[in-house]
Every structure is written in structure tokens, then in C-alpha cells.
């Protein structure tokens, strides 16, 4: 039995491990459905626009899928983080660091594609739910003007962003697995360094300096050239993959 | 504000982890895969289901048919219409029908029944002449005062909001020791609409601009009301206002 298994190539083992992980983590899809249900709920109360006079006031409740996408990304973070912590599974008999890493990345990519597909249909799904539950519902001119290319770009961007978030979470998870208790201290150290950086930055450079989630996300979101955007996003994902591999390559699989 | 977000996020993750731990064992892997299959099927069918459940298409067509300020043309040519005509009019909706009980015998030419819609009393915050919206019909068909309120059907970006207008509330008011008058109270109409905005690219769309565009599209919908007041023929009335009422004798 062992001979037969050992005769198989790394890629075959990695592929089997990938299928096994997908099946073993099937409950994560239920988590996805639950989180997206919550996201759909929040999407119905995304923002309000109001206008009127003394005699009437029109409140326009804007339904948009941003909360849904945020909840979906949270799911991706959970998956990236938990996949990196699955190195103690006993059923990976012949797994090594390469197969574990490869299968994890493949699972994350499948998850990202699933996210891309679900986000394409988020608009029609919201429209259907609104039709069923709201009497005075207006699909919105911008929504009705969506073309095939819009849906395609939505699929591509959501898939890549999900992959980026997932790869980042996976890398953090690898650090946690590798350094265990030091990871906690390291995290606290990074927070302290960031606070120090902010304080010193304001003290010596002035209030003009600002580093936060918004500035970081603008690196991708404010990019108008699709090719440069692709380079940025693929480069970032590849960097996380590379750092994760550096972190996992000489890690004991069943330690 | 932003400093609290990581803690909220961690709390959220904790809740998810607790829920997953508690229900995860009860949901088998096969059931999870089936659930995903059903979910993806619903998503795939959602464009068809959205089209099937949609009902705004007809309304968009109708708004183009209603002449602008249609109610004004009725008020200007009021003698050409009957109450029944207005009730059957496709461009008007009956918003409310109120019956005010009075005893016509208590009123006379010296002591008439007053219909009061003075600008500054009925509507203290603007200079609006509500008399402009009234048609008073003296008829033998009624024993009490009956007020039928019509609203020109109103649409905002194709969605009908007519039924969200608050009807005027008519009431009898003790004007002096011997006199009663018909007064009206207005409430602001709060109209609620829902609009779906697209996610064109993840996080990349100009929501602020589209919202402003939509706000500009809201037409002037604060008029369009007609009040057809039927009073008993033998009732002596006095119309108290700045402009002459439209009276059908």
C-alpha cells in the first residue's frame, strides 16, 4: 500500500490532498452561505439619501452589495487563516511541505473563484429579494445599465481581491503556525511599531503623513490602468505566496 | 472610531467560530455540499427570478402618459367633470374619503357653515393657498359633508409613490360659541423608496455621484391634490379664504 502511494508524484499527492481538503472543509461553504445571508441583510441598509420639502420627504434606501462583499472577504480571511493551521491532519500520510502548501493555495483559489461567481449574481439576487420584499423598489439606472463587460470585470476584480485577502491571511496563519507564541508577541510588536511610526511621523514630519487601511487599499483601488492594476494585484498575491512558501518550506508537517 | 474596528472584527470572528463549533458537527459534509449546490443554483437562476418577480416595468410606461400638472387642468375646467369622472380617471388615485357628520338645520344664511382653509391657519409655515385644490359641490345626494381626496399619480424614477402620500385630515372645529367650521390639517408625507446600486468592480464605483444624480431626478411631487367636497344642497356655506372657491351648484 505504502509503495503504491510513494510511487505517486508530488503533484498527484498534492492534487489528492487538494480534493481531500475541499471535501474535508465542506462546512466552510455553509459558513459562506451564512455570512453571505448576513451580507445580503446588511446590503439592504447600506446607506440612505433624502430630499424633500415641507410637505413631503423622499427617503431613498440604497441597496448595494458592498456589505455583502465585505462579509465574503471576512469568510476568505477565516479560510486562509484556518487552512494554514491544518498541518497536523493525520490523514495526509505522504504529504510534505510542498503538497500541503500547493493544496492549500489551490483550495484558496477555488474559494476565490466561488466568491467571484457569487458576487456576479449578487445584483440579480438583491433585485429578486427586493422585488419580493419591498413594494417601492427601483433597480437604479446604473444597475440596469450594467453590461457583460461590467459583470466580467466584477468577476475578475472580486476573484483577485479575494485571493489577495486569502493569501495574506494564509501567510499570517503560516507565521502563527511557525512561530506559535512568538507570533502573538510579534503581532503586538508590529502594532507598537505602527503606533510609534504614527507618533514619530506626526512629531517629525507633520500631520500630512497618514498610513492606514484606506491608503493601503488605494494602492489597488485608485489604479485606472488595467495592466498596472493586474501587475500590482498579481505581484502582491505572488509575494504572499512566496513569503508563505518561505515560511512553510522547512516546517515540520506533523510537528 | 477606527481603533475599535479590530476588536469588533475579532469579536465577530469569535462569534463565527463559536457558531461553527456548535453547529458544525451537526451539518455533515455531504449536506454542506448539497447546500452549496442549492445556493449556486438559486444564484444562477436569480436573473430569471428577478425578472419574473419584477413589477416596475408597467409603471415606467405609465409615467410617460400622464400629462404634466394634469390635476391643474381638472381644477381649471372643474365644471366639465363629475365626481364619478374623477373616480374613474386613470391618472388620478382616490387617496381618501372622509365623512363629516353635521346637522344642516343648525346653519342658516346668517350663521353659515364655514369651510376654512386660510393659508396662514391651515399651513403656518408657507404661503400656500389650499383653496386652489378644492371643488365644492352642493348636491342632494348627501346628507353630511363628504370629502373625496384625489392625488395625481406620482412617480419617482418609474416607481409609483402615490399611495405613500398622507391624506389631508379634515375635521370640525368649534369656531365660536355658535359656529362650527370645517378645517384641515396637513401632515408631511414621508416617502420611502429603495434603489439598487451595482458593484461594477469590487470597491470601485462612484457611489456618491450616482446618488446625487438620482436625487436630482426626484420631480416636484408636492402638489397634485384635488379635494372634492360634497355638501348637502340645503346647507348654507361660507368659504373662508383669499381666493374664490370652485363651486358646483
Amino acid at each position: 500500500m505504502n509503495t503504491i502511494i510513494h510511487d505517486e508524484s508530488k503533484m498527484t499527492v498534492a492534487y489528492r490532498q487538494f480534493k481531500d481538503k475541499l471535501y474535508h472543509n465542506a462546512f466552510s461553504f455553509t459558513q459562506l452561505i451564512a455570512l453571505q445571508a448576513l451580507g445580503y441583510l446588511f446590503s439592504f441598509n447600506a446607506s440612505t439619501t433624502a430630499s424633500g420639502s415641507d410637505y413631503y420627504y423622499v427617503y431613498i434606501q440604497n441597496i448595494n452589495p458592498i456589505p455583502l462583499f465585505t462579509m465574503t472577504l471576512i469568510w476568505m480571511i477565516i479560510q486562509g487563516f484556518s487552512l494554514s493551521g491544518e498541518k497536523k491532519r493525520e490523514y495526509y500520510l505522504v504529504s510534505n511541505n510542498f503538497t500541503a502548501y500547493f493544496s492549500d493555495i489551490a483550495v484558496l483559489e477555488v474559494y476565490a473563484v466561488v466568491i467571484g461567481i457569487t458576487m456576479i449574481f449578487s445584483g440579480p439576487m438583491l433585485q429578486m429579494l427586493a422585488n419580493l420584499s419591498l413594494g417601492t423598489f427601483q433597480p437604479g439606472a446604473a444597475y440596469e445599465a450594467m453590461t457583460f463587460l461590467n459583470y466580467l470585470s466584477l468577476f475578475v476584480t472580486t476573484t483577485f481581491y479575494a485571493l489577495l485577502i486569502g493569501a495574506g491571511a494564509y501567510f499570517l496563519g503560516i507565521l502563527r503556525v511557525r512561530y506559535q507564541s512568538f507570533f502573538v508577541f510579534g503581532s503586538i510588536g508590529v502594532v507598537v511599531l505602527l503606533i510609534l511610526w504614527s507618533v514619530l511621523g506626526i512629531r517629525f514630519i507633520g500631520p500630512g503623513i497618514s498610513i492606514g487601511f484606506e491608503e493601503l487599499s488605494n494602492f489597488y483601488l485608485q489604479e485606472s490602468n488595467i495592466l498596472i492594476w493586474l501587475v500590482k494585484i498579481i505581484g502582491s498575491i505572488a509575494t504572499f505566496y512566496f513569503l508563505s512558501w518561505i515560511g512553510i518550506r522547512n516546517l515540520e508537517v506533523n510537528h | 472610531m477606527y481603533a475599535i474596528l479590530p476588536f469588533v472584527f475579532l469579536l465577530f470572528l469569535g462569534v463565527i467560530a463559536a457558531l461553527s463549533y456548535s453547529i458544525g458537527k451537526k451539518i455533515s459534509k455531504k449536506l454542506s455540499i448539497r447546500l452549496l449546490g442549492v445556493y449556486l443554483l438559486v444564484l444562477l437562476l436569480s436573473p430569471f427570478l428577478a425578472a419574473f418577480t419584477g413589477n416596475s416595468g408597467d409603471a415606467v410606461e405609465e409615467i410617460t402618459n400622464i400629462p404634466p400638472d394634469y390635476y391643474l387642468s381638472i381644477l381649471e375646467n372643474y365644471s366639465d367633470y363629475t365626481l364619478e369622472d374623477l373616480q374613474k380617471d386613470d391618472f388620478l388615485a382616490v387617496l381618501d374619503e372622509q365623512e363629516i357628520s353635521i346637522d344642516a338645520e343648525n346653519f342658516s344664511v346668517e350663521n353659515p357653515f364655514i369651510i376654512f382653509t386660510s393659508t396662514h391657519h391651515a399651513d403656518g409655515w408657507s404661503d400656500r393657498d389650499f383653496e386652489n385644490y378644492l371643488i365644492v359641490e352642493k348636491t342632494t345626494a348627501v346628507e353630511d359633508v363628504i370629502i373625496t381626496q384625489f392625488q395625481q399619480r406620482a412617480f419617482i424614477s418609474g416607481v409609483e409613490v402615490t399611495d405613500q402620500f398622507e391624506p389631508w385630515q379634515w375635521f370640525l372645529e368649534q369656531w365660536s360659541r355658535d359656529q362650527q367650521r370645517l378645517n384641515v390639517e396637513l401632515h408631511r408625507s414621508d416617502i420611502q423608496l429603495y434603489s439598487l446600486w451595482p458593484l461594477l468592480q469590487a470597491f470601485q464605483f462612484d457611489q456618491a455621484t450616482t446618488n446625487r444624480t438620482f436625487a436630482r431626478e426626484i420631480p416636484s411631487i408636492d402638489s397634485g391634490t384635488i379635494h372634492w367636497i360634497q355638501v348637502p344642497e340645503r346647507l348654507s356655506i361660507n368659504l373662508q379664504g383669499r381666493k374664490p372657491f370652485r363651486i358646483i351648484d
Side-chain angles (χ1 to χ4, degrees):
Chain A
M1 175 70 181
N2 280 346
T3 310
I4 293 167
I5 293 171
H6 283 285
D7 276 348
E8 291 181 344
S9 69
K10 277 184 181 180
M11 288 305 290
T12 310
V13 175
Y15 177 66
R16 288 190 175 183
Q17 206 165 333
F18 154 71
K19 284 202 297 185
D20 184 66
K21 280 181 181 174
L22 263 186
Y23 181 72
H24 184 84
N25 292 319
F27 180 67
S28 63
F29 290 120
T30 307
Q31 283 179 329
L32 173 69
I33 295 167
L35 280 174
Q36 288 203 336
L38 211 55
Y40 277 113
L41 185 70
F42 293 155
S43 295
F44 270 82
N45 198 20
S47 65
T48 306
T49 314
S51 174
S53 71
D54 290 332
Y55 303 100
Y56 74 97
Y57 223 77
V58 181
Y59 298 91
I60 301 165
Q61 198 82 29
N62 295 305
I63 305 166
N64 82 46
I66 290 280
L68 171 69
F69 188 48
T70 308
M71 297 301 284
T72 309
L73 288 185
I74 288 173
W75 176 78
M76 195 64 180
I77 291 172
I78 295 168
Q79 300 318 312
F81 211 70
S82 56
L83 269 175
S84 61
E86 285 188 357
K87 301 293 167 287
K88 294 178 183 174
R89 289 257 165 79
E90 289 175 357
Y91 52 79
Y92 301 149
L93 288 174
V94 290
S95 70
N96 57 29
N97 288 328
F98 172 77
T99 59
Y101 168 79
F102 186 87
S103 55
D104 284 345
I105 295 301
V107 169
L108 281 178
E109 285 174 1
V110 168
Y111 285 171
V113 172
V114 170
I115 286 176
I117 292 169
T118 58
M119 291 314 296
I120 287 178
F121 293 100
S122 62
M125 189 73 172
L126 280 169
Q127 189 184 352
M128 182 192 77
L129 293 172
N131 281 339
L132 291 173
S133 59
L134 307 171
T136 51
F137 169 65
Q138 156 69 22
Y143 172 74
E144 289 190 308
M146 284 203 39
T147 62
F148 174 76
L149 276 179
N150 290 130
Y151 283 106
L152 187 66
S153 69
L154 177 62
F155 173 74
V156 171
T157 52
T158 47
T159 303
F160 272 116
Y161 283 132
L163 207 49
L164 176 68
I165 296 284
Y170 182 73
F171 170 60
L172 282 178
I174 291 294
L175 290 182
R176 181 179 63 96
V177 171
R178 188 175 184 93
Y179 296 109
Q180 296 180 4
S181 57
F182 285 108
F183 174 74
V184 179
F185 295 122
S187 305
I188 294 169
V190 169
V191 170
V192 170
L193 277 177
L194 283 174
I195 293 170
L196 270 177
W197 168 259
S198 304
V199 171
L200 293 174
I202 290 171
R203 174 72 181 83
F204 294 108
I205 303 171
I209 187 167
S210 173
I211 297 174
F213 179 75
E214 196 177 342
E215 286 73 22
L216 196 64
S217 57
N218 283 347
F219 177 69
Y220 305 102
L221 305 184
Q222 299 298 317
E223 184 52 63
S224 54
N225 187 314
I226 183 82
L227 284 176
I228 297 177
W229 179 84
L230 273 173
V231 169
K232 281 181 177 180
I233 197 91
I234 293 173
S236 305
I237 294 167
T239 305
F240 278 130
Y241 281 176
F242 177 70
L243 291 173
S244 302
W245 171 242
I246 295 290
I248 201 177
R249 66 181 174 145
N250 56 359
L251 189 73
E252 281 185 41
V253 175
N254 291 314
H255 70 122
Chain B
M1 165 66 183
Y2 287 112
I4 203 170
L5 284 179
F7 299 103
V8 173
F9 182 67
L10 285 176
L11 184 71
F12 189 70
L13 288 186
V15 171
I16 292 170
L19 282 174
S20 300
Y21 182 76
S22 58
I23 63 169
K25 289 173 185 169
K26 292 174 186 166
I27 297 178
S28 67
K29 294 174 182 63
K30 278 186 181 170
L31 181 60
S32 291
I33 291 167
R34 281 178 190 157
L35 277 174
L36 178 71
V38 171
Y39 182 55
L40 288 177
L41 185 67
V42 172
L43 284 177
L44 282 169
L45 291 175
S46 62
F48 305 105
L49 294 171
F52 181 71
T53 53
N55 53 7
S56 60
D58 297 339
V60 174
E61 198 176 329
E62 281 179 83
I63 191 175
T64 56
N65 296 333
I66 300 178
D69 295 326
Y70 177 73
Y71 73 104
L72 277 180
S73 66
I74 293 173
L75 286 166
E76 282 165 8
N77 306 302
Y78 66 95
S79 55
D80 296 340
Y81 296 92
T82 64
L83 181 62
E84 288 72 28
D85 288 338
L86 300 195
Q87 283 169 334
K88 289 175 188 166
D89 197 307
D90 288 338
F91 299 153
L92 298 176
V94 176
L95 209 60
D96 196 28
E97 193 175 277
Q98 263 189 280
E99 186 172 341
I100 308 278
S101 295
I102 58 155
D103 189 352
E105 302 301 327
N106 291 340
F107 301 94
S108 62
V109 179
E110 295 78 28
N111 180 29
F113 180 70
I114 297 168
I115 299 176
F116 178 71
T117 57
S118 166
T119 303
H120 296 290
H121 284 86
D123 173 21
W125 61 82
S126 78
D127 224 16
R128 197 147 139 165
D129 294 320
F130 290 123
E131 300 96 325
N132 289 338
Y133 303 109
L134 305 186
I135 297 169
V136 180
E137 180 192 15
K138 297 184 94 174
T139 174
T140 54
V142 296
E143 287 296 318
D144 291 313
V145 177
I146 295 175
I147 304 141
T148 310
Q149 180 175 343
F150 297 93
Q151 181 75 36
Q152 180 177 321
R153 292 176 65 189
F155 297 83
I156 297 176
S157 287
V159 176
E160 181 158 17
V161 294
T162 316
D163 58 352
Q164 292 196 46
F165 283 98
E166 286 285 333
W168 295 15
Q169 289 303 310
W170 293 87
F171 60 96
L172 272 183
E173 185 184 42
Q174 197 68 37
W175 169 235
S176 65
R177 200 179 61 178
D178 304 321
Q179 278 187 309
Q180 280 188 316
R181 66 182 183 181
L182 191 64
N183 203 346
V184 70
E185 190 178 313
L186 275 76
H187 297 284
R188 193 179 75 177
S189 298
D190 287 334
I191 296 163
Q192 184 83 41
L193 273 176
Y194 294 87
S195 182
L196 174 59
W197 297 100
L199 199 57
L200 295 175
Q201 302 171 62
F203 285 137
Q204 278 183 291
F205 67 104
D206 189 357
Q207 187 191 355
T209 308
T210 47
N211 278 351
R212 281 196 298 274
T213 307
F214 190 69
R216 277 200 300 272
E217 285 175 2
I218 297 173
S220 176
I221 54 169
D222 58 337
S223 51
T225 182
I226 299 170
H227 293 254
W228 190 293
I229 303 177
Q230 291 175 292
V231 296
E233 193 172 37
R234 64 179 188 281
L235 180 69
S236 297
I237 55 170
N238 180 359
L239 308 170
Q240 213 171 72
R242 292 195 305 185
K243 291 185 178 179
F245 286 79
R246 298 167 176 83
I247 301 173
I248 300 172
D249 272 318

